[in-house]
Amino acid sequence: MNSLIKSMTGFGRSEVSNQNCKMIVEMKSVNHRYGDISIRMPKKLSFFETQMRSLLKKYIQRGKVDIFVTYENLSEQTVELKYNQIMAKNYLDMLKHMEEELGVKNDITTTSLSRYPEVFTLEEQESDEEELWTVLEEALTKAVTAFVETRTAEGEHLYYDLTEKLDGMIKMVDIIESRSPSIVDEYRAKLEEKVKELLENNVIDDSRIAAEVTIYADKICVDEETVRLRGHINSMKKTLDMEGSIGRKLDFIAQEMNREANTILSKANDLELSNTAIDLKTEVEKVREQIQNIE
């Protein structure tokens, strides 16, 4: 079956343009406990941030995501010449006043008046907000779609690797469960042999031997731990097949698995059992590391 999980590592890029503008959207992400989206874009587009975040929430639940937006105005006429009639009239009135007050000739012409500050100005043409958003929305949607595809592809690799590790852990639990009774039998045999050596030809007290063996068996018993660990492994496998953001739940299950593996290792009183318990704990740690990258 196809994996439903997503990695928190991803990358997406898109470029969309029309006759008036071009938008480039690039996005990348790394692991993060929560959803942290950072958007860097020209000030001209800043009023679209709320709309952008609303769109992104449909695709992203967790991860530290950095988004970079580049805008280029392709319009041939990006600025417009403006004539400030009020300013020109103020200049003209003031020059006439100077002529009357100082008795000098007023030789002002239209050409000379046009050179005065702010009579003529160049203003950037107002962009069509609806057109800008249409282009930006398309670029962002394409980029985040590609971004999710890379996350999904990486998630599929994680799914199969984790499933393989969990299957291997089940086999280790099988080994521990099958080995544990043999350890008790071996302990009983060694205990009887030791007691015989000490007592020589005296009769062995079977009830005393049985009591010692029971205490030992209780001390090294890992039945409860293996049952719980097996349950956690199966629970994690089921969770991996669920839709949505499952990273936090997997992390919780992994913590419980680690607790059981630690207890099994602490009770291990046999070389084979200890080695298996160490391998089991190592695999649990690997699983914990990998699920940190799951959304």
Side-chain angles (χ1 to χ4, degrees):
M1 64 174 293
N2 291 327
S3 166
L4 299 174
I5 69 173
K6 296 184 182 72
S7 165
M8 278 194 281
T9 304
F11 176 80
R13 185 184 189 279
S14 176
E15 181 177 320
V16 176
S17 61
N18 61 15
Q19 67 272 19
N20 294 322
C21 66
K22 178 168 73 174
M23 298 281 187
I24 299 175
V25 176
E26 293 182 323
M27 53 194 304
K28 60 182 180 179
S29 69
V30 293
N31 300 358
H32 197 273
R33 190 174 180 182
Y34 305 105
D36 180 13
I37 299 176
S38 173
I39 304 175
R40 297 179 187 177
M41 58 185 168
K43 189 176 180 180
K44 185 181 183 71
L45 305 176
S46 60
F47 52 85
F48 292 128
E49 184 170 346
T50 301
Q51 292 166 267
M52 293 172 69
R53 290 186 179 277
S54 296
L55 188 153
L56 292 166
K57 281 182 180 179
K58 298 176 184 177
Y59 298 88
I60 303 167
Q61 279 73 51
R62 291 179 69 204
K64 186 180 187 312
V65 186
D66 291 309
I67 300 172
F68 306 89
V69 181
T70 304
Y71 165 75
E72 184 179 346
N73 192 333
L74 302 178
S75 175
E76 292 183 3
Q77 188 175 353
T78 58
V79 292
E80 184 178 358
L81 184 64
K82 294 282 188 177
Y83 161 51
N84 192 330
Q85 184 179 3
I86 295 176
M87 186 64 74
K89 188 176 185 303
N90 287 340
Y91 279 129
L92 193 58
D93 289 344
M94 191 62 68
L95 289 168
K96 286 182 178 179
H97 180 70
M98 289 173 64
E99 177 185 27
E100 293 169 359
E101 188 175 272
L102 301 177
V104 294
K105 182 181 179 182
N106 185 354
D107 59 351
I108 189 69
T109 65
T110 304
T111 302
S112 59
L113 184 61
S114 68
R115 296 193 182 99
Y116 280 71
E118 297 186 32
V119 174
F120 286 141
T121 57
L122 289 174
E123 294 184 7
E124 186 176 352
Q125 284 189 314
E126 289 293 325
S127 301
D128 184 337
E129 288 187 16
E130 186 176 344
E131 180 186 30
L132 280 179
W133 172 243
T134 299
V135 179
L136 178 56
E137 182 182 29
E138 183 181 353
L140 187 61
T141 301
K142 287 183 176 179
V144 76
T145 300
F147 172 81
V148 170
E149 286 175 358
T150 63
R151 278 185 152 197
T152 303
E154 177 64 23
E156 192 164 347
H157 291 306
L158 283 171
Y159 174 87
Y160 289 113
D161 189 58
L162 284 169
T163 301
E164 186 176 336
K165 281 182 169 57
L166 292 172
D167 289 340
M169 288 165 62
I170 286 288
K171 292 178 182 178
M172 292 179 195
V173 173
D174 290 339
I175 292 171
I176 292 169
E177 288 179 337
S178 63
R179 175 63 182 154
S180 294
S182 301
I183 296 173
V184 177
D185 292 340
E186 290 170 9
Y187 176 75
R188 183 185 183 97
K190 288 178 182 178
L191 187 61
E192 288 178 348
E193 184 179 345
K194 190 173 183 179
V195 170
K196 282 180 181 178
E197 289 177 3
L198 292 172
L199 298 178
E200 294 183 351
N201 295 325
N202 293 334
V203 179
I204 301 173
D205 186 348
D206 287 337
S207 62
R208 182 64 184 273
I209 293 288
E212 290 292 334
V213 171
T214 300
I215 292 171
Y216 177 77
D218 186 60
K219 183 180 178 182
I220 68 164
C221 180
V222 292
D223 290 354
E224 291 183 11
E225 288 80 6
T226 55
V227 168
R228 284 196 293 265
L229 182 55
R230 191 184 292 275
H232 293 323
I233 293 171
N234 290 329
S235 176
M236 183 171 283
K237 292 178 77 171
K238 289 178 182 177
T239 304
L240 285 170
D241 289 328
M242 293 180 180
E243 293 188 45
S245 181
I246 59 172
R248 289 193 184 94
K249 183 175 182 180
L250 290 173
D251 188 44
F252 174 76
I253 297 172
Q255 291 178 40
E256 296 300 308
M257 290 167 59
N258 189 58
R259 184 177 291 111
E260 303 303 338
N262 281 333
T263 305
I264 292 170
L265 182 58
S266 68
K267 289 185 175 182
N269 197 21
D270 170 78
L271 182 59
E272 182 182 345
L273 200 62
S274 294
N275 288 338
T276 304
I278 289 171
D279 291 341
L280 179 62
K281 182 169 170 55
T282 301
E283 287 302 293
V284 171
E285 288 295 336
K286 289 179 182 178
V287 167
R288 287 186 72 186
E289 287 178 9
Q290 285 189 307
I291 64 177
Q292 299 306 312
N293 195 34
I294 294 177
E295 187 179 23

